[in-house]
Structures are given as structure tokens and as C-alpha cells.
Amino acid sequence: MAANATRESIMRNALASAKDVCKRSAEHKELIKKFIRSFESDAANDLKYGKRKYKALLQAAANDKVGTVFIDLNDVEQFCKKEMLEPDTEISQSRIELQQSIEMLLTDIEQNAYRYQRFFYEACDLEQPMRDAGYQAEGAALARDAVQSWRERMQQQQETSGAAPKTLGLPPRLKNNWDVRFKPRATGRQMKLREIKADSVGSLVQLDCIVVRVSQVKPKVEVVTYHCEVCGGEVFQSVEGERYTPPKECPSQRCRDNKQSGKLRCNIRTCAFTRHQEMKVQEMSEHVPVGGVPRSISVIMEGDLTRQVLPGDAITLTGVYTPHQLPYHVKRQMGTNQEMYIEAHSILKHKKGYNDNAEDEDVLEHKISEARTKGSLYETASKSIAPEIFGHADVKKALLLVLIGAFTKQMKDGLKIRGDIHALMMGDPGVAKSQLLKQVCHIAPRSVYTTGKGSSGVGLTASVIRD
């Protein structure tokens, strides 16, 4: 009896909380529109919109220069603090209720990420400006504009002949070539993979992890378009999940009035696709308890987030923790258990590659020529490894050679000798073996420092796993 009473109490509290969130939705929509329209950032300096950061981002998205509009939750937090001091009476007449809604905006975004992602998308679609006068479409944008021009031309011809069916609304995904994602707050809590529980479903989670496996980038359909062979109308089907069921009959009003079941033909050329990639991540070795097995989870990346990471990269991942939409026969076998994954919103690498640093080549060449002129480059470079550790000159030189490596030799009989150099360090405890290796790990962008305890969970074997 006590357990049933506790369960009913939890359900009542959850229902009351959901009702409060629904009541705040109308005010939050207006606040989001105002945020997109008027938020100013000191870092922004656009010629057309000045410090209005997101209006400038939408202009770049309209000109096909940006594929994802990232909503920085630090900006939302700053906007909420400003609105708390001066609430907008045009949004709500009740000052106290509006202040409560402003106070809960950031929390609701993090706990109901999918709903507020749609709110931000609708606000961005509403505030999206027209393209610049000097805009010139190229590549995929040129093909998309040609399809849109064809669609408008066909609609005009049908209206002229008087045979135009009642057109269904054009989905925003078919009209816009950009998406909306969230960037986490700087003060946000970073979770461990083991700390993600059932109460995190549908909310933004942020965790440190290591990439174990990355799949190929494949196209994923977002909007399927059909052409009716009877009425000539165009039917759109938005695909929200991982699977969809094509319609069997034309849903247009003209086919219903004529009592005809128009046959639909899928037009691949006018469908909307996005880039889709999956990866598998594991928890960091320092998060694995003694004797434990590293846990892993699947991550789905779309759009500009694809091709960002490689196996072995240590990243800070921010995304929405959500269940897979499985077929009916699989759900029936699994029962109430759910297969979870994370839909990525933001990926931050812990280390950057040598080519990721945008450094002027002329400056780099000048530094190299100066070092060459000074001479003794071998000794100087080896001394720069862990300069706080005295001595160990030969060990540092050996580690420098490990970092640089050698060229691969091709023998006359076809045998290849790899240029990779391996080093084995042996010594008494306390002679800075681990400290030297950690310094080398900080220098090399793709290196991973591991011990015997966590060597199975840090991505060291990722290169030998085949999908």
C-alpha cells in the first residue's frame, strides 16, 4: 500500500509539473522571439545588424554560409537576467508571473530540449531575413533554388488553368537549409556516463568521453515529397523519427471531392536530406571504478556535426538523452526496456590537431628559420620537454624522437619497415617517468595517456574494430 501511495504521489507531482510547463509555453515563445530578434553581444560586430548576434547568424544562414544556428545558453542566461530587471509588459500583464516564467526559461530549455528546440526553430524561421542582394547560389544551393522555382512555376500554371488543388503547407525543413542546436552553459554540470539516469531522458546532458567508433556519413531524409498522378498536387511528409510509413492515397481535397484514391509517386529529386553519422563513445578511464568495465553509448550526429571527430579523440559531448524508435516486433520482445542514445548538439575536442590551429604560415616559417639560424635545434627542442624536471637529457631526446618518428623504408624485396619509434622507460619509483610521459601526451594531439587499469576503455583498440 505504501509503495502504491508513493507511486501515485510521484505521478501527481509529475503531472502538476507538466501542467506548469505547458502554462509557461506561450510566454516562453514570446521571450524566445524577442531573444532572437533583439539580443546583442559585444563579440558580434556585423555591418548590417551591428551587435545583434542572432540576426547576423540568420543572415549568414539565409546566404548558405552557416548550416547550423547554435543557440548559446550563456546568451540565454544573460538575456534572462536582463529581462528579470525590466520585464516586458507586452508579453504578459502580470509582472510576477512573467518574472517566474523568465526565471524558469533556462531550466525548461535544458529539461525539455526537443520542445524548445522547435520553439527556437520557429522563432528563427519567423525572423529569418531575405538573402543579400549580391548573393549567388552555388552547388547544392543552386539545385535547391531550381527546385523551389520549379515548384512555384507549377503552382502558377495550375492556378492559371483553374485546376490547382489546395496545396499543403511547405514544411520549414524543405524551405530552410539550416538547423538549430544548443551550446551548453559554461557553468553547466558535467556528468559521468554512469550518472545519467531515467530523470535525464529528454534533457540536455554534458559528459566527457572518448570516441571508440565512428560510422560513415550517410544521407538521411527529413522531408519526403510525393506527386499525385490524378490531381497533380504535391504532398509533403515530414520524417521526425528514424522510420516512417509512406501514405497510400493522396490526402488532397480535390481527390477527396472526386472520391478518387490518387496514386502517389515519390519524387526523390525534391526531397530534403541531411548528413547523418553515428558514433560510439566510452567513459573516460578515470571515471571507471576499480575492477569495473567501461560503459558506452551510441551518439547520433547530423548536419555540421558530422566528420568532426575520429576514433581515439577525447571530447566533451552535449546532447539530448533519448530512446530509440524501434520497430513494433523489437519493442514487443524488449518489453518496457528502452535502448537509449544521445543526439549530439555540441562537440568540443579536448585536444586539437596540428592543422586545427589557424596560424599564419608566414609567421610559422619565420619561427622555423630563426630556430634553424640559432642552431642546436635537437638539444633546444629536447630541453623544452618538461623543463621543470631537471636532468634526464637522454630520456628527453628519446621522447623527442618518439614524437617526431622516422620515415617508412621500402626495401628492395618489397618489405616495408615502419618509421614508428617505441620507447621503454625503466627506473625506480619517483624518478619522473609518468610526469615525462604526461608532458609528451600534452604535446601530441592524438595521444592518449593510460595505465593498466583503464587501457581497455580509452579507445586504444578503436582502429581494429570494423563496422
Side-chain angles (χ1 to χ4, degrees):
M1 295 295 293
N4 292 335
T6 304
R7 189 179 296 109
E8 292 179 358
S9 175
I10 293 174
M11 292 177 62
R12 283 197 300 268
N13 293 336
L15 182 61
S17 177
K19 288 182 179 179
D20 293 338
V21 172
C22 292
K23 288 180 181 178
R24 296 192 294 265
S25 296
E27 296 176 351
H28 284 176
K29 284 184 179 180
E30 297 300 323
L31 287 169
I32 289 170
K33 292 177 184 178
K34 184 178 180 181
F35 169 77
I36 297 295
R37 182 174 58 250
S38 62
F39 178 78
E40 294 184 353
S41 174
D42 294 334
N45 189 14
D46 189 69
L47 295 176
K48 185 176 180 180
Y49 294 102
K51 293 184 177 181
R52 287 190 289 171
K53 176 180 178 180
Y54 293 97
K55 289 293 287 186
L57 274 176
L58 288 175
Q59 183 67 67
N63 294 335
D64 291 320
K65 295 181 180 179
V66 175
T68 303
V69 178
F70 285 102
I71 307 297
D72 195 340
L73 295 186
N74 292 314
D75 297 339
V76 178
E77 186 177 17
Q78 182 181 347
F79 172 79
C80 291
K81 290 179 180 179
K82 183 179 178 181
E83 288 294 315
M84 284 288 291
L85 300 176
E86 301 176 359
D88 191 352
T89 55
E90 295 181 359
I91 297 177
S92 176
Q93 298 297 328
S94 175
R95 183 185 179 93
I96 297 177
E97 291 182 0
L98 181 57
Q99 286 180 333
Q100 291 176 352
S101 297
I102 295 171
E103 187 178 1
M104 293 299 297
L105 176 60
L106 198 59
T107 304
D108 288 345
I109 290 174
E110 293 176 338
Q111 293 182 354
N112 302 278
Y114 278 130
R115 170 182 292 183
Y116 282 85
Q117 184 181 6
R118 188 176 71 252
F119 290 169
F120 274 98
Y121 189 92
E122 293 172 355
C124 290
D125 183 44
L126 187 64
E127 296 293 334
Q128 182 181 4
M130 299 296 292
R131 288 173 172 172
D132 289 335
Y135 170 78
Q136 292 182 352
E138 297 178 356
L142 186 63
R144 189 173 61 255
D145 291 348
V147 171
Q148 185 63 23
S149 301
W150 167 82
R151 185 176 285 119
E152 294 174 356
R153 192 166 57 251
M154 291 293 295
Q155 183 68 22
Q156 290 177 0
Q157 291 177 1
Q158 291 177 350
E159 290 177 355
T160 304
S161 61
K166 184 177 179 182
T167 57
L168 301 176
L170 189 68
R173 299 279 181 179
L174 205 60
K175 182 176 63 174
N176 302 323
N177 195 35
W178 45 265
D179 203 354
V180 172
R181 303 283 179 188
F182 293 121
K183 279 188 177 181
R185 285 188 287 174
T187 57
R189 175 173 171 262
Q190 290 191 358
M191 306 174 67
K192 300 178 182 178
L193 190 55
R194 296 171 182 266
E195 296 176 350
I196 300 178
K197 305 296 182 182
D199 55 356
S200 300
V201 175
S203 17
L204 277 176
V205 294
Q206 184 179 3
L207 66 153
D208 291 335
C209 53
I210 286 182
V211 181
V212 176
R213 189 185 311 165
V214 178
S215 69
Q216 295 180 352
V217 179
K218 299 178 181 179
K220 179 185 177 183
V221 65
E222 288 186 322
V223 180
V224 187
T225 60
Y226 303 92
H227 180 75
C228 180
E229 296 180 354
V230 176
C231 68
E234 194 174 16
V235 180
F236 309 107
Q237 182 184 16
S238 297
V239 181
E240 299 292 342
E242 300 173 12
R243 293 170 178 83
Y244 70 98
T245 303
K248 297 180 179 180
E249 298 179 357
C250 177
S252 66
Q253 186 64 36
R254 184 179 177 184
C255 285
R256 286 201 296 255
D257 294 341
N258 296 334
K259 296 182 179 180
Q260 292 178 328
S261 56
K263 184 179 179 181
L264 295 178
R265 177 172 51 85
C266 180
N267 194 350
I268 299 295
R269 188 70 184 85
T270 57
C271 294
F273 293 87
T274 185
R275 289 166 291 176
H276 177 87
Q277 188 178 24
E278 296 183 10
M279 70 175 177
K280 192 173 184 180
V281 297
Q282 277 187 349
E283 57 185 341
M284 306 289 283
S285 59
E286 56 265 24
H287 297 165
V288 182
V290 178
V293 178
R295 296 186 180 181
S296 60
I297 191 170
S298 298
V299 180
I300 290 180
M301 303 172 290
E302 293 182 354
D304 290 346
L305 293 178
T306 57
R307 297 189 178 96
Q308 295 289 322
V309 295
L310 294 172
D313 287 343
I315 61 173
T316 297
L317 173 68
T318 303
V320 184
Y321 186 62
T322 183
H324 275 288
Q325 293 184 1
L326 301 174
Y328 171 74
H329 65 278
V330 179
K331 287 184 179 179
R332 189 175 179 181
Q333 293 178 356
M334 293 182 62
T336 57
N337 295 329
Q338 298 291 322
E339 185 177 348
M340 307 301 294
Y341 73 98
I342 295 177
E343 183 178 338
H345 276 241
S346 174
I347 296 175
L348 179 63
K349 288 185 180 181
H350 292 183
K351 292 182 179 180
K352 293 185 178 180
Y354 296 114
N355 297 327
D356 293 344
N357 297 324
E359 190 172 358
D360 192 357
E361 293 184 1
D362 295 336
V363 177
L364 183 60
E365 289 289 340
H366 181 66
K367 290 180 179 179
I368 294 175
S369 61
E370 283 185 351
R372 188 187 301 115
T373 305
K374 291 180 181 179
S376 63
L377 184 60
Y378 183 37
E379 288 76 10
T380 305
S382 63
K383 290 179 181 177
S384 64
I385 298 177
E388 69 276 6
I389 298 176
F390 179 76
H392 298 301
D394 293 336
V395 177
K396 293 181 180 180
K397 288 181 180 180
L399 294 176
L400 177 62
L401 295 176
V402 170
L403 283 172
I404 297 173
F407 61 92
T408 302
K409 289 184 179 181
Q410 180 76 32
M411 308 302 290
K412 293 181 180 180
D413 57 354
L415 179 66
K416 284 187 178 180
I417 300 177
R418 292 183 301 166
D420 301 326
I421 300 175
H422 298 268
L424 174 64
M425 298 175 61
M426 300 177 63
D428 296 331
V431 294
K433 298 187 300 295
S434 299
Q435 295 300 321
L436 286 170
L437 292 177
K438 287 181 180 179
Q439 289 290 332
V440 172
C441 183
H442 290 161
I443 296 172
R446 295 296 308 280
S447 62
V448 176
Y449 180 80
T450 180
T451 59
K453 181 192 75 172
S455 60
S456 62
V458 294
L460 295 181
T461 60
S463 60
V464 299
I465 296 176
R466 179 176 293 178
D467 292 334

